[in-house]
Amino acid sequence: MNAWSCDRVQDVLPDHVAGRLPRLDAEAVAGHVAACHNCAAEAALVARLLAGQPDVPAGMAPRIQEAVRQGRDRTAAAAPRRWRVAAAAAAVVFVAAGGWLWLGGGNGPAQVAGAWDPLPRDWPTGDGMMAGAPVLQDLSVEVIMALLEEMEP
Amino acid sequence: MAHEPFAAFSEREDPDAELVARAKKGDGEAFDALVERHHAAVFRAAFAIVSGEDEAADAAQGTFLKALVSLGGFRGDSLFRTWLLRIAANEARALRRRVLRRREVPMDPVAQGADDGASRVESALGAGELVRLEAALARLPEKQRMAVTLRIYEGLSFREVGEVIGSSEGAARVNYHHGIKKLREWLQ
């Protein structure tokens, strides 16, 4: 028996049996197994298990690749739709916020003298988006959320 | 005991790194190559958890679809193969739960296997080597079965096995050796 312990050999038996060990290690393990009844029995079991591994169904890889392709296509088709919904939602929120400020709502930072105002109160009229603001202003959050949900594909 | 005389080839560097990088950028051919390379391991990992070839194939397909969606979040902290097999194990467990709910069977088939495993092994005697091996493996607790099959079929290191089954490297080694010990007893 050589310097390899049974524990060490049994750790690497799967690699030895499958031929995955570097040559020098393989020789050392083979030498140990030849002289050790216990490790030889375990090597035989490992070989049986390796030989008995389940067969992969024929044509599985192409089937998965096709499913992945279909999944990718669906994602790609859905992406612009999702983008449009997100843009529409952003526009609704933007218009609602603008209308709220335009109508004098809010006593927060926008009213603080000298503070930077992202939505100036003298926002020019005639903007198409502004036209919808008073209507949206009257809608509750629940109704706006319902509208957004209806916009979902 | 903790000594490992060599690093499994996969631990030196991730052989999938280039394909993964390309697949992350939307290269379909690179992802196809990853499917080609790993579908067998994914199938076998799923097979160790679910019951039957069809379910394992379904779990394998689900694994790659999930991997496609999650690939952007893969940071390379583990090997791609390990990451994929972890998804496969989760996918197979989820599928098993769904199947059991559908069948309204109250007992986990693996636990059931542990209960009647002896009779299954005995009844399978003479019915072919593959059936005997399968019945004996089914009798092991899931972590031991996973450790044995991932170590033997796929050549995963104990560290990788631990990452897949959610345990430390040491626990993976213990699970493997306990599983082998029982199999030797049952299959001698």
Side-chain angles (χ1 to χ4, degrees):
Chain A
M1 188 148 339
N2 56 30
W4 281 54
S5 68
C6 289
D7 284 345
R8 190 176 168 190
V9 166
Q10 288 168 12
D11 268 359
V12 300
L13 275 179
D15 304 305
H16 176 63
V17 170
R20 293 188 291 255
L21 278 184
R23 188 177 59 85
L24 288 179
D25 287 335
E27 286 173 4
V29 172
H32 178 104
V33 168
C36 174
H37 176 74
N38 189 40
C39 288
E42 185 154 325
L45 171 69
V46 169
R48 279 175 73 186
L49 289 166
L50 190 62
Q53 64 181 302
D55 288 332
V56 178
M60 199 173 97
R63 276 201 302 276
I64 293 174
Q65 287 162 343
E66 181 54 31
V68 165
R69 237 183 312 281
Q70 286 176 9
R72 195 185 286 122
D73 290 348
R74 271 199 300 273
T75 307
R81 214 164 48 225
R82 276 202 298 272
W83 182 89
R84 282 199 300 272
V85 170
V92 167
V93 172
F94 184 71
V95 169
W100 178 64
L101 290 170
W102 182 57
L103 292 174
N107 301 311
Q111 304 251 334
V112 177
W116 177 72
D117 187 353
L119 294 170
R121 294 171 67 80
D122 57 347
W123 199 345
T125 54
D127 187 321
M129 287 200 296
M130 293 300 287
V135 177
L136 286 167
Q137 177 75 13
D138 295 330
L139 301 179
S140 67
V141 172
E142 286 78 13
V143 172
I144 291 174
M145 292 307 291
L147 283 172
L148 284 173
E149 277 177 24
E150 283 175 20
M151 293 167 72
E152 291 283 345
Chain B
M1 182 73 174
H3 176 76
E4 215 159 350
F6 73 108
F9 78 93
S10 56
E11 291 194 339
R12 291 200 288 267
E13 60 182 30
D14 193 339
D16 297 318
E18 190 195 329
L19 286 174
V20 169
R22 283 171 47 200
K24 273 184 168 184
K25 291 176 186 165
D27 183 337
E29 285 182 11
F31 197 86
D32 279 355
L34 290 169
V35 171
E36 188 66 46
R37 192 177 280 185
H38 294 294
H39 74 280
V42 165
F43 168 81
R44 286 190 290 262
F47 193 86
I49 294 174
V50 297
S51 52
E53 189 178 297
D54 290 345
E55 286 177 17
D58 286 348
Q61 183 166 309
T63 297
F64 282 102
L65 289 171
K66 288 227 163 68
L68 177 71
V69 172
S70 313
L71 193 61
F74 173 64
R75 295 176 311 206
D77 293 339
S78 64
L79 295 173
F80 174 75
R81 175 176 70 167
T82 312
W83 178 77
L84 193 62
L85 290 173
R86 207 162 46 226
I87 296 176
N90 290 334
E91 184 70 7
R93 287 189 200 105
L95 181 66
R96 188 180 63 193
R97 279 194 298 273
R98 286 197 299 273
V99 169
L100 287 176
R101 268 201 300 271
R102 242 188 342 251
R103 289 179 189 159
E104 295 182 343
V105 175
M107 189 179 285
D108 178 333
V110 174
Q112 195 174 11
D115 285 347
D116 66 8
S119 59
R120 284 175 64 190
V121 172
E122 281 170 20
S123 65
L125 284 175
E129 169 79 347
L130 292 181
V131 178
R132 288 173 63 195
L133 291 174
E134 201 178 304
L137 281 167
R139 195 177 164 190
L140 291 176
E142 184 185 297
K143 282 197 172 180
Q144 291 180 15
R145 186 169 58 252
M146 290 290 285
V148 167
T149 56
L150 290 171
R151 183 80 188 94
I152 293 178
Y153 298 165
E154 317 307 337
L156 263 61
S157 68
F158 288 120
R159 191 174 74 190
E160 287 178 282
V161 171
E163 286 176 11
V164 175
I165 68 175
S167 73
S168 67
E169 179 179 348
R173 178 181 275 107
V174 168
N175 273 306
Y176 169 79
H177 286 296
H178 280 181
I180 287 289
K181 189 179 170 193
K182 288 179 192 168
L183 290 172
R184 280 183 67 176
E185 199 181 304
W186 298 334
L187 290 166
Q188 65 185 357

